[in-house]
Amino acid sequence: MKQLDFIKANGEVVEKEAIHQWLDRSVKYITNGAYSLTLTRVVKRRSLQQNRLMWMWFKCVELELGQPSQDIHDYYCKKFFSREIANPVTGEVETVYSGTRGLNTAQMSDFLALFCHKCGADLLIKKLNANADITPKEIKRRKLSSEYTPINIKIDYTVLDIQKYHGLIDDFNYEAFKTELEKIADYFKKIVLVQHELFDQESLLKGIKEQCYSSITDLGEIDSYDLIVYPQVDTEEEFITSETIAAASHCLLSEVSQRPIVGIILLNKNLNTKNDLEYYIRNALFHEFFHILGFNFLFFKNKQYEENSYTYLNSPKLLEKAKIHFGCDDIKGIRLEDQGESGTVGSHWDARFMQGELMIGEDYSEVVMSDMTLAFLEDLGYYKVNYYTGGLFRFGKNQGCSFLEKKCIYSEGTLFPNEFCYESNKPFCTGSLTSKGTCYIVKYKEDLPTNYRYFADSKVGGKKLADYCPISFFTKYDDDYNYPMNCAYGKKKTMMKS
C-alpha cells in the first residue's frame, strides 16, 4: 500500500506540488479499473505534557479538598465519558465510561477544559471562604418570626476602610462602590422579605471568624439586620488583571433557618476604566448579591436535574414562571451555563436562553431582572418576593417550546428574529429592547463545537456563552441607550425599574 503524509496549515496544503507528483507516480503503472483513495487524519496521542498537567491539577485539588487524585480522575472520567450500552445477553442498559489513556491531544485538551469549568467552581467558592459547613441543612423552625418583613442588609465597610487607609483602593472607587452598595441594600427591601431572627453577637462573631476568616471584633448594632455583607477589593494580582468584575458568596448560614446571614463580595479595583461606571458597578454588585442570597450551586441541590450533559434548574415556582414567560407548558427546567470560566459554569443561567438577564455569567449591555430569578429565590424556602420586574425581560418571551428546542440559526436564517441575527455588524436591538448594538458574528481561531455551528464556515459564530448564537452586542460606547423606532424600552440606569 502506498502512503503519503502531508500537512494542511492556515487553510493551505503544505508542499502541494509534492502531492501532485506522488499521485502521478502512484497511478502511472496501475492497471485499468476502479480505485478509491482514502484520506485519514493523523491524530497524535495525548502528550506527556498534557498528562503531567492533568495529574498536577488533580494533586492540587487533592491538597485543597482532601479527595485522592485518582478518585478525582475517575469521577470526572465518569462524568464526561460515560455512555449507555445494552448488555448483549440480558438486554439491560448499563452505564460505562472510559479513561483518559486513549485520548488524542485535541480530546485531552477538551477534557482539561471541562475539568477546569466544573471543578473550578468548587474552588472559587472555597476561595470565597465557603466550605462544607455552609451547605444548607434542614431548616429548624424555631426562634423565627412568623411574619415576613423586608430584608434589612447591613453593609459593613470595616475591611474596605482598612484597604482604603492602606491605599489598596482609591477614593473614587471607594465612594462609587459605597454609593451603589447602599442603593442596592435599600432596593432589596422592596423585593425580598424574610422571617427576622435575632442573632447572638458572640456566636455570630465566632462563626464569622471561623467560616469567613475575618478578624472582625465588633459587629455594632445588628439586632435589626437580616444579612451582613463585607465588601472588599481582591488584592491578588490574578484577580486584578483578569476581566473578572466581582465575585461573591455567602460564608455563614443561620443555625436556625439555614439562610445565608453573612456574605463576602470581592471587587476588582480597576473598574474605573469602564464607561458609565455607576450603571456598570450597580449591575455587577446587584448580580453578586443574588449569589450571596443563594443563587449558587451550593443551593441548587434537589432543585436540578441533568440531561444530555446539561444541568437544569426545575424548582416549582421557577417552572411556573418559565412556562408563562416562554409560552411553553412542556418546559422541564431552565438550563444552567456550561461555557466560560470556572466561576461561570453551573452558577448562572445559560445565556442562549436568558440573554440579558441579571444572572447570566458575563457582562452585557442589557441587564434585566426576570420573574424566573425571583421565583428561584422564593423556591429556596427562606424568602418571599415581590415580583417587581415590570415584565421587562423579553428575551424568548412567548416564543414557545421551539425556542428551547431548536437551533438559533438555520441556513443563515432564524426562526426567532427578535433574539438572534445573521448579518454581521448590522444594527440590532437587544432581546428585551432596552439597548442598541450590532449583530455579533466573529471568526474564531478553532472550529466551533459541532452542536454550535450555524454557518458554512465552521469557525464562524456569535457569543460563546450564548452557545455561539449571533446576538446583539454593545460594541461602542454611546450615551444613548435608545434605538429609534425599535429599542423603545431602553432607559439608562433603569435596571431596577419598578
Side-chain angles (χ1 to χ4, degrees), residues 234-293:
D234 194 318
T235 56
E236 293 185 13
E237 186 66 22
E238 182 180 357
F239 188 90
I240 296 171
T241 57
S242 73
E243 294 184 0
T244 303
I245 304 166
S249 173
H250 66 288
C251 59
L252 186 65
L253 297 176
S254 163
E255 294 180 355
V256 178
S257 65
Q258 294 298 300
R259 173 178 62 79
I261 56 174
V262 182
I264 296 173
I265 293 182
L266 298 179
L267 306 164
N268 191 322
K269 67 177 183 178
N270 291 333
L271 284 183
N272 58 357
T273 61
K274 300 293 184 182
N275 292 313
D276 196 13
L277 184 65
E278 177 186 348
Y279 180 78
Y280 192 87
I281 291 178
R282 186 183 307 168
N283 292 344
L285 295 179
F286 200 52
H287 172 104
E288 300 305 335
F289 266 78
F290 270 90
H291 282 316
I292 291 175
L293 290 173

Side-chain angles (χ1 to χ4, degrees), residues 175-241:
E175 293 300 331
F177 288 144
K178 194 170 182 178
T179 298
E180 295 308 319
L181 283 165
E182 293 297 333
K183 288 181 180 178
I184 291 169
D186 185 61
Y187 182 71
F188 267 101
K189 291 180 181 179
K190 301 176 182 178
I191 60 172
V192 177
L193 296 90
V194 296
Q195 292 173 289
H196 184 66
E197 55 187 289
L198 294 177
F199 301 129
D200 177 71
Q201 285 248 9
E202 185 177 345
S203 61
L204 188 57
L205 276 171
K206 182 175 183 290
I208 291 173
K209 182 179 180 180
E210 294 176 353
Q211 302 296 332
C212 306
Y213 300 98
S214 173
S215 57
I216 299 296
T217 57
D218 183 16
L219 293 172
E221 175 57 47
I222 61 168
D223 285 351
S224 63
Y225 291 104
D226 304 295
L227 174 68
I228 304 172
V229 175
Y230 292 99
Q232 54 195 280
V233 293
D234 194 318
T235 56
E236 293 185 13
E237 186 66 22
E238 182 180 357
F239 188 90
I240 296 171
T241 57

Side-chain angles (χ1 to χ4, degrees), residues 139 141 148-153 188 191-195 197 226-227 250 252-254 257-262 289-296 299 317 373-387:
I139 296 176
R141 296 294 182 185
Y148 280 83
T149 56
I151 189 170
N152 199 10
I153 302 174
F188 267 101
I191 60 172
V192 177
L193 296 90
V194 296
Q195 292 173 289
E197 55 187 289
D226 304 295
L227 174 68
H250 66 288
L252 186 65
L253 297 176
S254 163
S257 65
Q258 294 298 300
R259 173 178 62 79
I261 56 174
V262 182
F289 266 78
F290 270 90
H291 282 316
I292 291 175
L293 290 173
F295 197 98
N296 67 63
F299 287 90
K317 287 185 172 63
T373 291
L374 289 176
F376 178 77
L377 204 64
E378 194 165 26
D379 279 331
L380 291 175
Y382 314 130
Y383 314 104
K384 290 189 181 297
V385 302
N386 292 322
Y387 291 95

